[in-house]
Every structure is written in structure tokens, then in C-alpha cells.
């Protein structure tokens, strides 16, 4: 057996479905790694890097599977000269589809292993698409045995235990693990450390970076030796190449110590997740920039700040759409925010359109008192104007609603919900406040925006209001956000009940009302744009409730 081996880890972004570009990128990173270390033996890529993750129903198209294999074969030929590659892709074998990994070496596909544990919860739907492979055997490579559990395979003991029993020397775990708050620590502290303690084998955890629709991948790859100590910690959020050097002694294989990067603390990680999600969504779908309504409120101010940090001020177009109820304070705050961000701000009054709707509907509305109907007309008029700008100039319309509002239906369908993406979709109102305060005092590591504050302090400190009627405040119809968010977190993230919250001291009547609002707003959320997943139960892929639903927990 060789006493040394050199392995490169390529923590990469991806583009789902762009097979040729993904293959070309992997080959380019292979050349880059070889230029750094001519003794390189192997380079490893994240899960399903060739096809992109998650590919969803793309894998059900036979032509997609055929072309993926053609690209894999092309990469295999490229392995004739230079280091071997571990490449994740989809495989069609004996009438079934598999999520797998292939070793490309000496110009051929020398070994293929399939994923055993298929996740089928939250954002994952793999059992719908793939067949579970057998317990994978180690891959022989240059005299040693490499265990290659794929992502979910390490989240349970069985696969790593089997690899150990079959003589694996080291474990390489390619991942497509999406970002969630606190998940980076969980992977290293709880999952990988547990597998190492059980099997006394060193492990490479390799994850991807970048945004894919509602998912964001944070990287945070690392190498732990068999004693549980970190040998390498790769950065979060950024593509990164890391060369690792391994030696064998009487105690087995050990990775030489390397650089240990520091990952974002809260709430910097949340903010960077928003940046990456929006940046990749806008750029990969070919938009020249984004347009959004800037109201002078905190949600639109934070959305504008994230957009500027993601895309640059020159690609963010803010529009103030005042009505008769818009206060001078809001006009001043919106102008101040746009000035601090350095982005374009136009003002388009909606009063002529509202007057026209009043005249159009006056006969049908005779004898009816003004109510939320008139409020919704204002919101829909704003949405109509913003969509017109989007259609005319090509900028994607960015919506600005937060998770607290979407949970209880305090958003107007075809109004402020109209748009292509929402960076605050999975951010509760208190998170919005925390992120706004943090961004005013810090510049995110990935940010393209200004170094200093990005919004007037008054935006953060004034009582939130939709300004759809005189002297309106959010607190007129909702409990304080400290209470509302706590209630919603229990009902949504924890799937708790009314009784759970009453036991914790919340008023039963208030909780029952919030639960009812949560359930009846499901039809709105089904029609909401995608947005960055931050927590464990986002409205979308994580939480799939029926629209017609008579259940109440009280």
C-alpha cells in the first residue's frame, strides 16, 4: 500500500441542467489543482455535481440521462493523463435511476457506487426519483480502500459501519447539503463526529456552494482525522480548492494539518445566504437587475439592501409609489435609504389610478363602507405599476414581504405578492429587525454595497405600518411581533399546538386566531414567489399543507 496520497477538494457552485458547463468547470478545477500540486492523486467534487442538485424531475427525461452519461464519458477520457476524479451524477442501471458517484481514472470509469440512504423529508424528494443502492463497498484506489458514502449516507450509522467492516481506510462524503441556521455546526459536531467515533476512520465532508431556486448551499466543507480533530476547514459561501496530504502509519491514515477558516456567526450567515440566493437566481435566469417598491418601511429597505449587496447598486431600481395615506416621513425615509445605498429611486404616485378605480367601481360599491377592499386596490395598483416596469425594462420584480406576514396572510395576492423572488420569505419580522440593525453596523463579506449604514435609523425604530388607511399600524390587528413570531415559530417550525402555547403562557384567544389565520392563508402562499430558505420549515418545499383544511388544534 502507498504510504502517502494527495487529495484535492473542490467546493464548487453549479448550474442545474447545464451538463457541459458543469463538466468543463470540473475539468478546469482539476487543471487548477494539478498546477498547484503536480503530485495530486485524486480530486473530489460535491454530490451530483455533473447534473446539479437538486435536479428534480429533469432526471425523468431519458435525453437528460443520456447526455449526462456522455459528459461523464468525456470526463473519464480526460482522466487518462493526470489525477483521478470522483464525480457525482445520475445513473440508469437495470431499469432504475440512481444517485451515484463514479471514479474516473486512467481514461475510464473504473468504479460506480450508489447512494443508499435516500432523504425524503423537508426539501428532499429522492425516493420519488431514485432507487436506493446496495450498501456500498469501498472503492480500491492506489492500494487503499476509500469509502464514499453520499450525503445522507453519513447521517445514519449503517453505511459507514458497513464501509468500516469492509476495510475502508478513509471516508470521503460528497454532499449537496442546503444551508439552514445552525446546520454547519450540526454537520461537524453531531453527524461527522459521531461517525468517526463509531468507526475510528478519518472523514472528508465536501459540500457545494451557491443558490438553486429556494435553496442555498453554504459550503463549510472540512476534514476530520480519526481522533476527531479538524485538519482542514474550508470557507463558507465561496468556491474553494483545497489540497490535502495524507500519510499512513501504524494507526492508519492521517491528514496533515491545513488552514482552518472561520465561518459566519449569526446573523451574518443569514444575510450572506440571502445575498447568494438572490445573486444566483437573478444572474442565472438572465435578468439585468431587480426593481422593487421602496415604501420607507423596514421590509423594503432590507430587501433593497440585500439586492444592492448581491448585485451592486447599478442593478437595483427602487420605486416609491405614494398614495393619499403615505406620510412625509415615509417619503423621506425611502429617499434616504436609496441615497445611502446609492441606487436609483423613482417616484410614481398611484393616486390617479386609485381615483380611476373609485370611479369605475362606484356604482357597484354604492352603500358599501370602505374596508380591506380599498386597501387591496392600492396594493394591487402598486403591483401593476411595478410589473409594468419589469415587463418594459426586463428587471425582475423583487417582493418584500416577510415570513410573519405571509404566515398570517397579511399580504395582498396580485399586489405586494406580485413578483419573481422574495429574499425575506423565510425571515420572521424580528429577524428582519435584527438583520437591519446588523447591516447598518457591518458590511457582509460577500456584499457589493456600501461600507456604512444602508438605511435611516428611523426606518428601524418607527412602528411598522402598511399605510393603506389613515394612521394605520401593524399592531392594530396583530399582537406585538415578539409574541406573534414566538407563536408562529411554535406552530410552523415546531408543528406545535394551541395547547402547547397556552401552556407557555400565551392567551388562548390570540393563539387560536393566529392558528386560524395561518391555515386560511395557505392558498396565498401557494401563489407566492420563491425565496431563500433559512430555517427548518420554510413556506414551500419544507411545509406542504392542504389549502382546504378544516383541522384546528384547539
Amino acid at each position: 500500500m502507498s504510504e502517502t496520497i494527495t487529495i484535492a477538494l473542490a467546493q464548487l457552485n453549479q448550474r442545474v441542467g447545464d451538463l457541459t458547463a458543469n463538466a468543463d468547470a470540473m475539468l478546469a478545477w482539476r487543471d487548477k489543482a494539478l498546477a498547484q500540486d503536480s503530485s495530486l492523486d485524486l480530486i473530489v467534487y460535491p454530490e451530483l455535481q455533473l447534473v446539479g442538485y437538486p435536479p428534480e424531475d429533469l432526471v425523468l427525461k431519458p435525453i437528460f440521462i443520456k447526455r449526462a452519461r456522455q459528459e461523464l464519458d468525456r470526463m473519464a477520457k480526460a482522466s487518462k493523463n493526470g489525477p483521478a476524479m470522483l464525480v457525482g451524477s445520475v445513473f440508469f442501471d437495470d431499469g432504475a435511476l440512481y444517485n451515484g458517484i463514479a471514479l474516473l481514472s486512467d481514461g475510464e470509469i473504473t468504479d460506480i457506487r450508489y447512494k443508499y440512504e435516500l432523504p425524503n423529508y423537508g426539501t428532499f424528494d429522492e425516493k420519488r426519483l431514485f432507487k436506493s443502492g446496495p450498501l456500498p463497498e469501498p472503492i480500491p484506489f492506489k492500494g487503499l480502500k476509500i469509502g464514499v458514502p453520499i450525503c445522507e449516507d453519513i447521517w445514519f450509522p449503517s453505511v459507514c459501519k458497513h464501509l468500516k467492516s469492509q476495510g475502508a481506510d478513509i471516508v470521503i462524503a460528497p454532499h449537496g447539503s442546503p444551508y439552514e441556521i445552525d446546520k454547519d455546526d450540526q454537520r461537524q459536531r453531531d453527524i461527522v463526529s459521531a461517525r468517526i467515533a463509531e468507526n475510528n476512520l478519518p472523514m472528508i465532508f465536501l459540500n457545494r456552494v451557491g443558490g438553486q431556486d429556494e435553496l442555498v448551499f453554504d459550503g463549510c466543507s472540512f476534514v476530520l482525522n480519526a481522533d476527531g480533530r479538524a485538519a482542514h476547514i474550508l470557507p463558507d459561501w465561496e468556491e474553494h480548492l483545497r489540497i490535502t496530504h495524507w500519510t499512513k502509519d501504524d494507526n492508519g491514515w492521517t491528514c496533515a494539518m491545513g488552514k482552518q477558516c472561520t465561518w459566519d456567526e449569526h446573523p451574518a450567515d443569514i444575510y450572506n445566504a440571502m445575498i447568494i440566493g438572490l445573486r444566483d437566481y437573478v444572474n442565472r435566469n438572465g435578468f439585468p437587475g431587480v426593481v422593487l417598491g421602496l415604501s420607507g418601511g423596514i421590509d423594503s429597505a432590507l430587501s433593497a439592501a440585500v439586492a444592492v449587496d448581491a448585485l451592486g447598486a447599478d442593478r437595483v431600481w427602487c420605486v416609491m409609489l405614494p398614495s393619499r395615506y403615505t406620510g412625509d416621513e415615509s417619503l423621506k425615509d425611502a429617499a434616504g435609504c436609496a441615497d445611502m445605498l446609492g441606487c436609483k429611486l423613482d417616484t410614481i404616485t398611484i393616486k390617479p389610478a386609485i381615483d380611476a378605480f373609485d370611479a369605475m367601481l362606484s356604482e357597484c360599491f354604492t352603500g358599501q363602507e370602505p374596508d380591506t377592499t380599498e386597501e387591496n386596490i392600492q396594493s394591487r395598483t402598486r403591483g401593476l405599476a411595478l410589473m409594468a416596469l419589469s415587463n418594459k425594462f426586463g428587471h425582475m420584480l423583487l417582493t418584500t414581504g416577510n415570513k410573519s406576514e405571509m404566515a398570517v396572510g397579511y399580504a395582498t395576492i396580485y399586489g405586494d405578492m406580485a413578483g419573481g423572488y422574495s429574499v425575506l420569505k423565510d425571515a420572521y419580522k424580528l429577524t428582519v429587525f435584527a438583520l437591519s440593525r446588523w447591516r447598518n453596523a457591518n458590511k457582509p463579506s460577500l456584499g457589493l454595497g456600501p461600507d456604512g449604514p444602508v438605511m435611516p435609523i428611523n426606518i428601524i425604530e418607527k412602528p411598522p405600518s402598511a399605510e393603506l388607511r389613515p394612521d394605520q399600524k401593524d399592531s392594530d390587528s396583530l399582537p406585538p411581533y415578539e409574541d406573534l413570531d414566538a407563536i408562529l415559530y411554535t406552530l410552523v417550525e415546531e408543528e406545535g399546538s394551541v395547547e402547547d402555547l397556552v401552556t407557555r403562557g400565551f392567551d388562548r384567544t390570540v393563539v387560536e386566531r393566529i392558528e386560524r389565520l395561518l391555515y386560511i392563508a395557505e392558498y396565498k402562499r401557494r401563489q407566492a414567489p420563491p425565496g431563500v430558505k433559512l430555517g427548518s420549515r420554510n413556506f414551500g418545499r419544507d411545509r406542504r399543507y392542504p389549502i382546504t383544511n378544516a383541522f384546528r388544534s384547539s
Side-chain angles (χ1 to χ4, degrees), residues 41 49 94 96 128 132 142 182 243 246 263 396 399 401 414 480 506:
D41 296 296
Q49 187 67 25
D94 196 24
R128 179 173 174 270
S132 176
K142 294 199 169 185
D182 292 330
I243 309 294
W246 297 73
W263 299 331
M396 185 192 74
T399 66
Y414 321 126
F506 290 94

Tab-separated table of all heavy atoms in Angstrom, residues 41 49 94 96 128 132 142 182 243 246 263 396 399 401 414 480 506:
chain	number	residue	atom	x	y	z
A	41	ASP	N	-3.142	13.031	-6.628
A	41	ASP	CA	-3.648	11.702	-6.992
A	41	ASP	C	-5.130	11.708	-7.349
A	41	ASP	O	-5.561	10.968	-8.238
A	41	ASP	CB	-3.441	10.728	-5.825
A	41	ASP	CG	-1.976	10.515	-5.513
A	41	ASP	OD1	-1.260	9.986	-6.375
A	41	ASP	OD2	-1.546	10.893	-4.407
A	49	GLN	N	-22.604	16.734	-8.865
A	49	GLN	CA	-22.045	17.967	-9.411
A	49	GLN	C	-22.195	18.042	-10.928
A	49	GLN	O	-22.318	19.129	-11.490
A	49	GLN	CB	-20.573	18.097	-9.021
A	49	GLN	CG	-19.924	19.415	-9.398
A	49	GLN	CD	-20.491	20.595	-8.628
A	49	GLN	OE1	-21.016	20.438	-7.538
A	49	GLN	NE2	-20.386	21.781	-9.202
A	94	ASP	N	-30.248	-1.106	-15.066
A	94	ASP	CA	-31.242	-2.184	-14.965
A	94	ASP	C	-32.647	-1.628	-14.722
A	94	ASP	O	-33.378	-2.110	-13.863
A	94	ASP	CB	-30.846	-3.155	-13.849
A	94	ASP	CG	-31.604	-4.474	-13.941
A	94	ASP	OD1	-32.055	-4.818	-15.050
A	94	ASP	OD2	-31.745	-5.144	-12.903
A	96	ALA	N	-33.606	1.284	-13.532
A	96	ALA	CA	-33.818	2.175	-12.387
A	96	ALA	C	-32.812	3.325	-12.420
A	96	ALA	O	-31.720	3.209	-12.993
A	96	ALA	CB	-33.680	1.412	-11.082
A	128	ARG	N	-38.737	9.551	-4.558
A	128	ARG	CA	-39.641	9.682	-5.700
A	128	ARG	C	-38.902	9.498	-7.017
A	128	ARG	O	-39.498	9.084	-8.022
A	128	ARG	CB	-40.298	11.063	-5.658
A	128	ARG	CG	-41.247	11.371	-6.792
A	128	ARG	CD	-41.947	12.695	-6.538
A	128	ARG	NE	-42.756	13.094	-7.674
A	128	ARG	CZ	-42.313	13.842	-8.677
A	128	ARG	NH1	-41.066	14.274	-8.668
A	128	ARG	NH2	-43.102	14.150	-9.680
A	132	SER	N	-32.833	3.170	-4.150
A	132	SER	CA	-31.751	3.024	-3.189
A	132	SER	C	-30.776	1.958	-3.663
A	132	SER	O	-31.178	0.863	-4.079
A	132	SER	CB	-32.318	2.639	-1.817
A	132	SER	OG	-31.290	2.400	-0.898
A	142	LYS	N	-5.224	3.009	-5.742
A	142	LYS	CA	-3.797	3.097	-5.446
A	142	LYS	C	-3.422	2.364	-4.154
A	142	LYS	O	-2.662	2.868	-3.322
A	142	LYS	CB	-3.345	4.553	-5.400
A	142	LYS	CG	-3.431	5.245	-6.756
A	142	LYS	CD	-2.578	6.485	-6.834
A	142	LYS	CE	-2.495	6.970	-8.272
A	142	LYS	NZ	-1.590	8.118	-8.438
A	182	ASP	N	-27.720	27.191	11.874
A	182	ASP	CA	-27.028	26.273	12.799
A	182	ASP	C	-26.645	24.934	12.177
A	182	ASP	O	-26.085	24.075	12.867
A	182	ASP	CB	-27.860	26.002	14.066
A	182	ASP	CG	-27.979	27.231	14.949
A	182	ASP	OD1	-27.044	28.050	14.938
A	182	ASP	OD2	-28.999	27.373	15.653
A	243	ILE	N	-5.969	21.465	-1.258
A	243	ILE	CA	-5.139	20.283	-1.431
A	243	ILE	C	-4.857	19.685	-0.054
A	243	ILE	O	-4.402	20.394	0.850
A	243	ILE	CB	-3.804	20.622	-2.120
A	243	ILE	CG1	-4.040	21.421	-3.400
A	243	ILE	CG2	-3.020	19.355	-2.404
A	243	ILE	CD1	-4.754	20.677	-4.493
A	246	TRP	N	-2.083	13.193	2.822
A	246	TRP	CA	-2.377	12.094	3.734
A	246	TRP	C	-1.168	11.158	3.832
A	246	TRP	O	-0.504	10.884	2.837
A	246	TRP	CB	-3.582	11.299	3.236
A	246	TRP	CG	-4.850	12.100	3.185
A	246	TRP	CD1	-5.171	13.075	2.288
A	246	TRP	CD2	-5.946	11.993	4.076
A	246	TRP	NE1	-6.422	13.584	2.561
A	246	TRP	CE2	-6.915	12.944	3.657
A	246	TRP	CE3	-6.219	11.190	5.182
A	246	TRP	CZ2	-8.132	13.101	4.304
A	246	TRP	CZ3	-7.431	11.354	5.833
A	246	TRP	CH2	-8.371	12.294	5.401
A	263	TRP	N	-16.161	30.333	9.991
A	263	TRP	CA	-17.468	30.500	9.360
A	263	TRP	C	-18.229	31.650	9.990
A	263	TRP	O	-17.985	32.037	11.142
A	263	TRP	CB	-18.284	29.212	9.486
A	263	TRP	CG	-17.639	28.033	8.823
A	263	TRP	CD1	-16.798	28.057	7.747
A	263	TRP	CD2	-17.780	26.654	9.185
A	263	TRP	NE1	-16.400	26.790	7.412
A	263	TRP	CE2	-16.987	25.899	8.284
A	263	TRP	CE3	-18.489	25.982	10.171
A	263	TRP	CZ2	-16.904	24.514	8.343
A	263	TRP	CZ3	-18.400	24.605	10.239
A	263	TRP	CH2	-17.617	23.877	9.326
A	396	MET	N	-36.235	41.981	-12.890
A	396	MET	CA	-37.119	41.112	-12.109
A	396	MET	C	-37.708	41.901	-10.947
A	396	MET	O	-36.987	42.618	-10.245
A	396	MET	CB	-36.349	39.913	-11.566
A	396	MET	CG	-37.243	38.904	-10.843
A	396	MET	SD	-36.297	37.691	-9.906
A	396	MET	CE	-35.746	38.693	-8.516
A	399	THR	N	-40.191	40.996	-4.510
A	399	THR	CA	-41.193	41.251	-3.481
A	399	THR	C	-40.495	41.437	-2.136
A	399	THR	O	-39.350	41.046	-1.952
A	399	THR	CB	-42.221	40.119	-3.381
A	399	THR	OG1	-41.573	38.933	-2.929
A	399	THR	CG2	-42.873	39.855	-4.726
A	401	GLY	N	-42.189	41.048	1.199
A	401	GLY	CA	-42.890	40.564	2.383
A	401	GLY	C	-42.047	39.605	3.209
A	401	GLY	O	-41.185	38.899	2.689
A	414	TYR	N	-51.683	39.203	-5.793
A	414	TYR	CA	-51.660	40.020	-7.007
A	414	TYR	C	-51.349	41.488	-6.696
A	414	TYR	O	-51.488	42.346	-7.566
A	414	TYR	CB	-52.972	39.919	-7.798
A	414	TYR	CG	-53.548	38.532	-7.816
A	414	TYR	CD1	-54.852	38.287	-7.406
A	414	TYR	CD2	-52.769	37.440	-8.223
A	414	TYR	CE1	-55.363	36.997	-7.393
A	414	TYR	CE2	-53.281	36.153	-8.201
A	414	TYR	CZ	-54.569	35.943	-7.791
A	414	TYR	OH	-55.079	34.670	-7.768
A	480	PRO	N	-48.098	42.086	19.299
A	480	PRO	CA	-46.717	42.533	19.129
A	480	PRO	C	-45.886	41.449	18.463
A	480	PRO	O	-46.083	40.255	18.698
A	480	PRO	CB	-46.257	42.807	20.564
A	480	PRO	CG	-47.511	43.054	21.333
A	480	PRO	CD	-48.563	42.195	20.703
A	506	PHE	N	-49.279	31.954	26.680
A	506	PHE	CA	-49.928	32.807	25.682
A	506	PHE	C	-51.448	32.750	25.830
A	506	PHE	O	-52.003	31.723	26.230
A	506	PHE	CB	-49.526	32.374	24.271
A	506	PHE	CG	-48.087	32.682	23.934
A	506	PHE	CD1	-47.093	31.732	24.117
A	506	PHE	CD2	-47.735	33.929	23.443
A	506	PHE	CE1	-45.772	32.009	23.818
A	506	PHE	CE2	-46.412	34.223	23.129
A	506	PHE	CZ	-45.427	33.261	23.325
